Amino acid sequence: MNASTVIGPAAAGEPTGTDVLRLEDLHVSYRTAGGAVPAVRGVSLALPAGGRLGLAGESGCGKSTLASAVLRLLPRSAEVGGRILLEGEDVREMGWGRLRAVRWARASIVFQGAMHSLNPVRRVGDQIAEPILLHEKVGRAEADRRVARLLDQVGLVAARAGAYPHELSGGQRQRVVIAMALACSPRLIVADEPTTALDVMIQAQILRLIGELVAEHGISLLMISHDLAVLAENCDRLAVMYAGRIAEEGPADQVFAAARHPYGRALAGAFPRIGDPASRHGPRGLPGDPPDPAHLPAGCAFAPRCPIAADACREAEPPLIAAGEQRLAACIRMDAWQEAK
């Protein structure tokens, strides 16, 4: 078995025919003065129509690189291998005209920092209207009516269309970015840490809003976060990334409650749970830092931080293997958890 995995209904590696997004053996590395640095290493993933997939991991594990690769938003220093299929069409083979037509209309992305996504010298209504005018060839009056409806959908009054980004709060700006993502009724939304920069109360509102809009419009969602609890609450399935690879995947509630990979367990244990005194008084942390992508250790990349690593873990990189019904984990020691308790 190779190092890649397929996530969702195509977990056995067979296409379902209804996948909105499918990655096949995706590799991404960055050219540097010291040579190529791998960021994503052999990830395969399938997201069906209307599905909600969460992708978790620490900073530097390759989540945002993967998200940017979906719509070819990577810098020129990136080298990409494998296939990125959007409704069966390979994004890597699209010409620039075709790619421009696909962005916003078939797939859109919500980044974590709304101020980095919005033009500070243009009114937000004009920015929401731009993809509508570009892709749907409607008149300005119709575009303005669409903007008003979109603002209402995300909980803002139509008058806010005349505001500049700096005149809005952080939560309001993120709502504007979500309205932009919905403007052309895409089949897929990639939400890359959409609430990281917001306070807890506003974060909950934005997550609820995204969930409601995705369900209402039947949109597929790829949500990226370092917080397993957020993903478990808002996604059907969950994949955990470490050092550019998928370490574990399966039903979101199962991965969060009982991860089979030691890294997934460490991520879940880092967040205290309401009503659980043990986790509140003694949250489990994770010693050390993720490895430098330019100098990955031999064998399992997680072995230097793993509490149950054995000599065999340092000899070869473990493949993804069955870890329960519709579950996979890249760990040859997953059964040792019972012994370690």
Side-chain angles (χ1 to χ4, degrees):
M1 187 179 296
N2 61 30
S4 59
T5 181
V6 175
I7 297 171
E14 296 296 330
T16 66
T18 59
D19 295 332
V20 169
L21 175 67
R22 189 175 181 87
L23 307 182
E24 297 180 353
D25 196 27
L26 178 65
H27 287 75
V28 181
S29 61
Y30 294 101
R31 296 186 301 274
T32 71
V37 176
V40 176
R41 303 185 296 132
V43 170
S44 296
L45 173 157
L47 178 59
R52 300 175 301 164
L53 170 67
L55 189 62
E58 293 170 283
S59 296
C61 72
K63 307 185 304 296
S64 292
T65 291
L66 186 152
S68 295
V70 171
L71 287 174
R72 276 172 54 182
L73 297 174
L74 295 168
R76 292 185 178 182
S77 61
E79 297 178 343
V80 183
R83 298 209 300 168
I84 305 168
L85 302 177
L86 186 60
E87 295 186 300
E89 188 175 2
D90 196 338
V91 174
R92 293 190 60 215
E93 296 179 358
M94 293 178 182
W96 283 111
R98 178 58 180 156
L99 184 61
R100 188 184 186 198
V102 163
R103 291 171 175 168
W104 297 112
R106 287 173 60 188
S108 57
I109 189 165
V110 177
F111 292 107
Q112 62 177 288
M115 279 301 282
H116 299 296
S117 303
L118 297 171
N119 187 329
V121 297
R122 295 186 64 200
R123 300 181 190 275
V124 297
D126 293 335
Q127 297 186 61
I128 300 172
E130 183 175 1
I132 299 173
L133 293 168
L134 176 65
H135 291 285
E136 305 197 12
K137 309 300 182 184
V138 300
R140 182 68 204 210
E142 174 60 21
D144 287 343
R145 284 192 288 271
R146 292 269 297 275
V147 168
R149 288 199 298 269
L150 285 163
L151 288 174
D152 179 68
Q153 281 186 308
V154 299
L156 293 175
V157 297
R160 304 309 281 168
Y164 290 97
H166 71 272
E167 296 176 316
L168 303 176
S169 69
Q172 290 174 328
R173 288 194 293 266
Q174 200 68 349
R175 290 171 187 267
V176 169
V177 173
I178 294 170
M180 291 175 64
L182 292 168
C184 295
S185 302
R187 296 292 308 281
L188 168 70
I189 289 181
V190 179
D192 185 7
E193 301 271 11
T195 61
T196 298
L198 305 175
D199 65 65
V200 175
M201 294 299 294
I202 300 300
Q203 178 185 90
Q205 293 174 16
I206 295 298
L207 290 172
R208 184 168 58 250
L209 173 64
I210 291 175
E212 291 171 351
L213 292 173
V214 165
E216 178 183 345
H217 295 277
I219 298 170
S220 299
L221 174 68
L222 175 61
M223 180 178 286
I224 296 170
S225 177
H226 63 279
D227 190 334
L228 260 68
V230 165
L231 296 177
E233 185 176 350
N234 293 277
C235 298
D236 308 314
R237 294 185 67 83
L238 177 59
V240 178
M241 252 184 121
Y242 188 79
R245 293 185 62 211
I246 300 296
E248 178 173 4
E249 67 92 3
D253 56 345
Q254 295 181 29
V255 174
F256 178 60
R260 298 306 311 278
H261 193 285
Y263 180 60
R265 290 209 171 207
L267 282 184
F271 297 92
R273 304 181 192 183
I274 296 175
D276 182 0
S279 70
R280 181 164 57 88
H281 293 297
R284 299 186 301 274
L286 184 60
D289 297 307
D292 181 348
H295 302 93
L296 293 173
C300 175
F302 186 64
R305 307 172 73 190
C306 181
I308 59 169
D311 290 343
C313 300
R314 299 176 177 85
E315 295 173 359
E317 197 160 43
L320 278 161
I321 58 177
E325 186 176 355
Q326 296 188 336
R327 297 186 66 178
L328 297 169
C331 181
I332 62 174
R333 294 272 293 161
M334 68 179 81
D335 292 333
W337 279 115
Q338 294 300 324
E339 303 171 11
K341 287 182 179 179

